[in-house]
Amino acid sequence: MATPPPHHGPGPGPYPPYASPQGNPYGPYPVPQQAGPYGPHPVPGAVHGCRLCGALPAAQATVRGHQGMLVLMRFLRQEGPFCRDCGLATYRRMSAATLWQGWWGPLSLFITPFTLLLNLGARAGFLRLAPPTGAILPTLDPGKALWRRPPALAFLVATVLVACTPPVLVLLGLMAGDDEPPTGPAIGTCVREADELRNEKLVPEACGSPLAKYRVTKRRGTPGADCADGDLISVPGKWAEGAHSLCLTPVH
C-alpha cells in the first residue's frame, strides 16, 4: 500500500487568528470608509453656493430694510450667502423700498439712514465677486442702479428741495426788502400850518390857495436829498398825520 505524500500545511487543530500588518484582526485589507448618501459633511464656517440660485462664488452678507409706520416700525433682513447678481438685486430692491417706506416715524428718521449705510458694506462685498457660474436656478437680474429707480429719484428731489428752501426764502426776503413805500405829501405839493398863531401842525393845502405857505421840494433820507439854502426842514412830529422829514421852500 502506497504511503500518502507529506502534508505541508498547518496541522490539525484550532488556528490562531490572522493579524494583518495594519492591525485589522478581520482580514488582510483595511475596510474603505464609505461616504454618506448626500456627499461629505459641510465644513463649519465655509461659504457654499448662493442661497437663491446655487451659483459660485458667493459671499456671506446681510441686506437690511426698514419700514416706518408712524408709531410702529418694521425691521427687515435677508441673509446670504449671495452670488454677485443675486446680492446686487437684493440690495437694490430692499434699499429702494427703504428709501420711500423708511421715513414715516420719529425714530425711523434716524434708523433709515443707518440702515442704508449698512447696506453699502454688503454692496461692496457683492461687487468684489466674479460673475456667477454653476447656478442651479436662474440668478436674479440686478436691474437698474439704485439711484436710477423711481423711489431713489423721488427721495433725491425731496432732499434737494428741503436743502434749497431756506436759502431761497432768505434770498427772496432780501430782494423784496421790508421798506415801506414813502407816504405823506408828494414832491411839488404845498402845505400850510393849521393855525399859524398857535404854531399848529402842517396840513396839505392846494398850491394855488393863498393859504399855502410851503412847497415840498425833497424827501429827506434818500440819496441827494439835502435841503437847499433857505429851505426849512420839517421834523416828523410837526405833521398832523404821519411822521415825515421833508425839505420845504416858502411859497411867498
Side-chain angles (χ1 to χ4, degrees):
M1 186 173 67
T3 304
H7 181 69
H8 299 286
Y15 304 104
Y18 177 80
S20 65
Q22 292 81 7
N24 186 357
Y26 302 102
Y29 304 104
V31 178
Q33 183 179 2
Q34 300 294 328
Y38 302 103
H41 295 286
V43 178
V47 177
H48 299 277
C50 174
R51 67 183 296 266
L52 299 179
C53 67
L56 288 172
Q60 183 67 39
T62 301
V63 183
R64 293 172 171 82
H66 183 73
Q67 293 178 353
M69 296 173 283
L70 297 181
V71 296
L72 301 177
M73 64 183 66
R74 185 181 181 189
F75 295 88
L76 307 173
R77 60 187 296 161
Q78 286 278 353
E79 296 184 355
F82 296 103
C83 67
R84 186 191 65 180
D85 290 354
C86 292
L88 289 176
T90 304
Y91 157 76
R92 292 171 179 175
R93 173 177 56 83
M94 297 187 68
S95 296
T98 301
L99 278 174
W100 70 274
Q101 294 178 347
W103 306 97
W104 312 109
L107 295 178
S108 297
L109 291 174
F110 303 96
I111 298 175
T112 295
F114 185 71
T115 302
L116 296 173
L117 289 176
L118 287 178
N119 283 346
L120 292 179
R123 171 183 175 272
F126 300 145
L127 292 176
R128 288 194 293 265
L129 295 176
T133 57
I136 301 175
L137 299 175
T139 58
L140 298 181
D141 182 11
K144 295 181 179 179
L146 177 61
W147 295 109
R148 295 175 56 193
R149 302 192 177 203
L153 293 176
F155 168 76
L156 183 61
V157 171
T159 302
V160 171
L161 290 177
V162 171
C164 294
T165 297
V168 170
L169 293 178
V170 172
L171 181 61
L172 292 177
L174 294 176
M175 294 176 60
D178 56 356
D179 296 335
E180 297 181 356
T183 59
I187 304 300
T189 60
C190 298
V191 297
R192 66 177 175 85
E193 292 177 341
D195 190 339
E196 186 175 357
L197 296 178
R198 297 181 180 179
N199 195 21
E200 292 287 347
K201 295 185 178 183
L202 298 172
V203 294
E205 182 66 36
C207 290
S209 172
L211 299 177
K213 191 172 182 180
Y214 304 105
R215 184 186 302 274
V216 178
T217 57
K218 293 181 180 179
R219 187 179 301 276
R220 301 185 72 243
T222 58
D226 293 337
C227 298
D229 295 339
D231 285 356
L232 301 178
I233 300 175
S234 67
V235 295
K238 185 66 176 177
W239 295 90
E241 295 182 359
H244 317 293
S245 181
L246 305 174
C247 296
L248 304 178
T249 300
V251 176
H252 304 293

